[in-house]
Amino acid sequence: MTQAPVNVTVTGAAGQIGYALLFRIASGQLLGQDKPVRLRLLEIPQAVKAAEGTALELEDCAFPLLNGIDIFDDPKQAFEGVNIALLVGARPRTKGMERGDLLEANGGIFKPQGEAINAGAADDVKVLVVGNPANTNALIAQSHAPDVPAERFTAMTRLDHNRAIAQLAKKLGVAVSDVTKLTIWGNHSATQYPDIFHAEVKGENAAAAVNDQNWLENEFIPRVAKRGAEIIEARGASSAASAANAAIDHVFDWVNGTPDGDWVSMGIPSDGSYGVPEGLISSFPVTTKGGTYEIVQGLEIDEFSRTRIDASVKELSEERDAVTKLGLV
Ligand SMILES: NC(=O)C1=CN([C@@H]2O[C@H](COP(=O)(O)OP(=O)(O)OC[C@H]3O[C@@H](n4cnc5c(N)ncnc54)[C@H](O)[C@@H]3O)[C@@H](O)[C@H]2O)C=CC1
Ligand SMILES: O=C([O-])CC(=O)C(=O)O
């Protein structure tokens, strides 16, 4: 272990996703088996003790790649020198809360975190926002970090991507590894559009292999888009291990590259591609290489897909308008 450790900051470290995520980071699954990590955990003061408990367990795993753990309740300290920032902690919607209240409450979290990243992060910082509403929280954080290149702020739609692959593989009776080029477009919300028209199954077009528009419209798309609610209904709590798994996948692929002939979905600041207004943090098909990503260009978007993408992008624009009015971006 000759390399300097990579500083990984995890917010909401004492939460459900944090508990499923930290052990995998420390075991080397986030970055690779050759990369030592130093964990910097951020929690609210009331949850610091629980985070300390998790840190005791991490210690007890004796992970060879885990170089150390520090726990903070101050974002400025937690993001000092950070290379990889996983923004998981967020304010959940509670009874009687309107969408605007939710955006405002999260603004109170993601604005100071964006400022702290701006002030203290390492030059190569990469940020993944998991906490909901993930795309707009990422936009808030990014807009308060003017010295960090905007494209370093990403939002997680990888869970949706993985869910869609699993459902498609199940429908066709193939292995998940047979499915490539799946795309999630838009927002991490019920308006998202899981697109199988460019996806392939063993190299053949997936939509043609399915050949069932009714399944696509009335089963597949709503199932994937509302999977979070299905999990909450069944488990009595929101997705945690699968969300942590998706965060691992997102960062691992961003850092280590996507395989030739495939791509992944990431919520990223739009450059105007596919008619998505510039600056909105929207999900696109991307390839990654050498720690950077590029939007897959040149995909033909038919009328059906266009309508779905536009609907999700409209929701993102409305969220941006709402947080702009609140003075959060
Ligand atoms: N993008 C995606 O695909 C998914 C996103 N999520 C979202 O991830 C978030 C976390 O989920 P869970 O871990 O299940 O929630 P949780 O409620 O178990 O944990 C959240 C943790 O964040 C902490 N926290 C709150 N404010 C904080 C702040 N200002 N700084 C640092 N920590 C703070 C809380 O103390 C708590 O320990 C939620 O917003 C959830 O909706 C969940 C699943 C998938
Ligand atoms: O729906 C939720 O609250 C959690 C979530 O984002 C998901 O599971 O996709």
Side-chain angles (χ1 to χ4, degrees):
M1 202 199 287
T2 50
Q3 289 190 49
V6 177
N7 286 321
V8 181
T9 298
V10 180
T11 76
Q16 283 202 91
I17 295 176
Y19 196 69
L21 181 60
L22 292 169
F23 297 85
R24 297 190 58 185
I25 298 172
S27 72
Q29 294 177 57
L30 184 76
L31 298 170
Q33 293 301 328
D34 56 341
K35 301 205 180 76
V37 292
R38 194 168 177 96
L39 282 169
R40 301 176 74 80
L41 312 184
L42 178 66
E43 257 299 349
I44 53 173
Q46 309 87 286
V48 162
K49 190 156 186 288
E52 285 169 356
T54 306
L56 296 179
E57 280 201 72
L58 281 161
E59 196 177 290
D60 293 349
C61 295
F63 287 119
L65 289 170
L66 183 58
N67 187 277
I69 310 168
D70 295 295
I71 302 172
F72 305 96
D73 61 10
D74 169 14
K76 284 259 166 348
Q77 291 175 4
F79 290 111
E80 191 60 51
V82 62
N83 305 107
I84 304 282
L86 302 175
L87 276 48
V88 178
R91 172 76 163 80
R93 193 201 293 251
T94 42
K95 218 171 160 204
M97 219 175 170
E98 299 297 332
R99 196 171 184 84
D101 301 331
L102 182 73
L103 291 170
E104 189 162 16
N106 278 296
I109 295 174
F110 288 87
K111 178 173 182 265
Q113 292 185 0
E115 289 167 348
I117 288 169
N118 198 54
D123 287 347
D124 67 349
V125 68
K126 291 179 168 58
V127 183
L128 168 62
V129 176
V130 174
N132 281 320
N135 301 54
T136 297
N137 287 341
L139 183 70
I140 294 170
Q142 180 232 294
S143 73
H144 294 281
D147 302 330
V148 177
E151 73 271 11
R152 305 285 187 75
F153 283 83
T154 67
M156 192 165 92
T157 54
R158 184 58 178 266
L159 178 54
D160 312 297
H161 179 97
N162 290 346
R163 287 166 170 166
I165 287 177
Q167 292 302 319
L168 183 57
K170 200 154 119 182
K171 166 77 174 168
L172 292 172
V174 298
V176 287
S177 54
D178 291 330
V179 178
T180 53
K181 300 184 179 172
L182 192 288
T183 305
I184 303 294
W185 299 93
N187 201 1
H188 172 67
S189 76
T191 66
Q192 68 176 267
Y193 172 49
D195 175 2
I196 67 166
F197 288 99
H198 306 99
E200 293 178 0
V201 174
K202 298 184 190 167
E204 302 294 323
N205 182 270
V210 167
N211 192 24
D212 184 347
Q213 187 69 15
N214 181 48
W215 177 81
L216 176 66
E217 279 186 51
N218 299 316
E219 290 187 45
F220 174 74
I221 295 174
R223 188 103 199 249
V224 173
K226 295 181 187 158
R227 185 69 159 183
E230 185 182 345
I231 303 288
I232 291 171
E233 178 64 30
R235 208 173 86 84
S238 63
S239 326
S242 55
N245 178 67
I248 296 276
D249 285 351
H250 177 115
V251 173
F252 185 90
D253 287 343
W254 189 357
V255 170
N256 294 294
T258 41
D260 285 345
D262 200 4
W263 64 62
V264 293
S265 303
M266 287 170 65
I268 57 170
S270 175
D271 62 358
S273 293
Y274 296 102
V276 179
E278 211 175 322
L280 280 184
I281 299 198
S282 189
S283 188
F284 286 96
V286 300
T287 54
T288 62
K289 195 178 180 180
T292 62
Y293 58 78
E294 270 182 30
I295 297 176
V296 176
Q297 295 294 343
L299 300 178
E300 249 176 66
I301 307 295
D302 69 8
E303 182 106 8
F304 177 81
S305 297
R306 187 75 262 165
T307 308
R308 302 270 169 166
I309 295 171
D310 287 350
S312 196
V313 167
K314 178 166 176 280
E315 182 184 52
L316 283 171
S317 294
E318 287 165 2
E319 288 184 14
R320 178 164 70 178
D321 291 347
V323 293
T324 304
K325 269 203 197 105
L326 291 165
L328 294 170
V329 297

